[in-house]
Amino acid sequence: MSDFFVLLTKRRSIRDFEDKEVSLEIIKKIIKENYMAPSSANGQPWRFIIVNNKDVIKRLSDESKKNLISHIEMNPNSPTKKYEANLRSPNFNVFYNAPCLVFIVGPKQIRSLHVDCALAACYFMFSASNRDLGTCWIGLGTSIQDPDLINLIGLPEDHVIVAPIIIGYPKGIPDAPKRMEPQILKAVP
């Protein structure tokens, strides 16, 4: 049981990576382990897109930034507005210049898709951490609309990006931030 606790405390959101490629073989092993994740009715609706090319990742970042800024301009009260300064900075990369990006995607019509893919993302991040790799779920990375980029990454028309996860060899592992005590509303005997 202690090994699992170590893994829980070791898995952190990493945004600073060594300039070192993550092999496709390792990513595929992590994805294979990912299939142990639970899903509604064991549907396993998740699919994976691996982007192991920093130039393409930069293009995806620029696309996300452009679309998010457009969204903020049309919706000035959007919660995304708090990221506006970063999004407008030419030096900001939504994917933090990570060497690898994995999109967890699935068919739009599946009712439980976001929960199922979130569970898969958790398993993915724990498996990566177990291999001394760092990950971070990048919520700002779902705003890909350019048809050429969608075609380039191979996103099927009937699928949606749920969890963009960056992965690489971390420059360091930060300490876990302070956690609040669990809020148990009621225990019914």
Side-chain angles (χ1 to χ4, degrees):
M1 193 59 125
S2 65
D3 290 343
F4 182 65
F5 183 75
V6 169
L7 184 60
L8 286 176
T9 57
K10 186 172 124 179
R11 205 258 9 121
R12 303 271 50 92
S13 293
I14 304 296
R15 295 176 184 88
D16 194 15
F17 301 95
E18 293 179 11
D19 190 18
K20 180 179 176 185
E21 184 178 305
V22 181
S23 77
L24 187 57
E25 179 183 333
I26 290 174
I27 299 296
K28 285 182 176 179
K29 284 180 182 178
I30 292 168
I31 288 171
K32 187 167 178 80
E33 291 171 359
N34 194 87
Y35 271 82
M36 296 302 293
S39 60
S40 177
N42 196 31
Q44 302 173 38
W46 45 72
R47 303 293 179 262
F48 302 88
I49 296 170
I50 304 165
V51 184
N52 227 358
N53 179 309
K54 285 184 120 179
D55 293 333
V56 174
I57 294 171
K58 171 75 166 76
R59 287 176 59 196
L60 292 164
S61 172
D62 292 345
E63 166 73 2
S64 291
K65 288 166 56 172
K66 177 188 77 160
N67 294 329
L68 290 165
I69 289 168
S70 175
H71 171 78
I72 291 167
E73 288 171 349
M74 291 189 301
N75 305 285
N77 295 324
S78 168
T80 309
K81 186 155 180 72
K82 67 183 174 184
Y83 303 107
E84 185 174 11
N86 281 341
L87 293 169
R88 291 190 184 278
S89 169
N91 298 323
F92 177 69
N93 184 311
V94 170
F95 301 111
Y96 295 91
N97 301 304
C100 185
L101 166 63
V102 176
F103 288 114
I104 301 178
V105 307
K108 296 175 187 178
Q109 76 276 10
I110 294 180
R111 186 169 176 237
S112 62
L113 182 67
H114 283 77
V115 172
D116 292 340
C117 287
L119 287 164
C122 289
Y123 273 56
F124 182 93
M125 291 185 285
F126 281 127
S127 179
S129 182
N130 195 46
R131 287 182 165 76
D132 296 321
L133 289 162
T135 60
C136 188
W137 181 329
I138 305 295
L140 296 176
T142 61
S143 297
I144 312 297
Q145 298 172 8
D146 180 272
D148 292 334
L149 279 174
I150 289 171
N151 185 52
L152 176 65
I153 65 172
L155 181 67
E157 191 175 301
D158 66 336
H159 281 48
V160 63
I161 297 170
V162 177
I165 299 177
I166 55 176
I167 182 169
Y169 294 93
K171 286 188 176 176
I173 307 284
D175 290 335
K178 185 178 179 196
R179 299 292 192 211
M180 296 183 290
E181 285 296 315
Q183 300 286 319
I184 299 171
L185 298 179
K186 185 175 184 176
V188 180

